[in-house]
Amino acid sequence: TLVFAAGLLQPPFYSGSGPGSYGSAGALIARELSKLIEPVPAATECLEKHMGTRETLPDDVADQAGLLFAWIARPKAPGRIGGFTGDQRFLLAWAQTWCESELEVAARERARMRPFTPARRRVNTGVSNLPEFRKVFACGAGLPLSSGPACRVW
């Protein structure tokens, strides 16, 4: 049984059927559902190398899977809103989902209690492993979020 907080289906996570809702609520729901599926070993090895640790691997795999599944399911939104395409709004919503402000001392304590990948790294790893990100934001080769091969969990 999976239980989701009702707040997940309200702004800012969910605000209708647009790409932003898929990038936030859709990716988080898909993230939790992906934990029920065994990932491909080669993909987890790639992600472990990318992250540099095995300690957070289950959550890292779930992040990648949730982002990928939501990307595949997202609606195609024509035109621009606020200067951004639908695909850009999807990816910006993914980033905003993990937005946080945390003091260094709190981050160290949280890591000591239970290791989680820091939010900024979750976002950057997620998009850097989604080749479509490079196209959507026209990232050239060699830039930090577009260098190296992408790890696909499925």
Side-chain angles (χ1 to χ4, degrees):
T1 302
L2 289 175
V3 177
F4 297 99
L8 186 60
L9 298 177
Q10 299 175 27
F13 297 110
Y14 182 81
S15 56
S17 61
S21 293
Y22 279 73
S24 55
L28 289 175
I29 292 168
R31 176 188 190 283
E32 295 307 313
L33 290 172
S34 75
K35 293 178 179 179
L36 304 172
I37 305 167
E38 191 66 34
V40 177
T44 58
E45 290 172 18
C46 175
L47 195 54
E48 182 180 350
K49 286 178 187 172
H50 191 92
M51 298 304 287
T53 182
R54 185 170 197 63
E55 209 168 12
T56 58
L57 194 58
D59 278 335
D60 298 333
V61 168
D63 286 344
Q64 289 300 136
L67 180 60
L68 176 62
F69 294 161
W71 177 264
I72 291 167
R74 80 196 184 291
K76 303 293 186 224
R80 292 179 176 264
I81 296 176
F84 297 103
T85 67
D87 287 347
Q88 289 171 331
R89 291 193 313 276
F90 172 96
L91 293 164
L92 290 170
W94 164 255
Q96 288 173 332
T97 297
W98 297 105
C99 184
E100 70 179 9
S101 178
E102 185 175 43
L103 296 173
E104 177 97 17
V105 67
R108 281 195 305 271
E109 181 63 18
R110 181 184 44 77
R112 188 182 67 74
M113 300 290 285
R114 178 158 186 255
F116 283 101
T117 302
R120 181 183 183 117
R121 189 148 189 215
R122 281 180 188 238
V123 170
N124 290 345
T125 298
V127 298
S128 70
N129 284 317
L130 190 70
E132 295 84 355
F133 166 80
R134 301 167 188 188
K135 180 179 176 194
V136 167
F137 283 102
C139 297
L143 294 174
L145 296 179
S146 64
S147 60
C151 299
R152 286 284 198 179
V153 181
W154 280 276

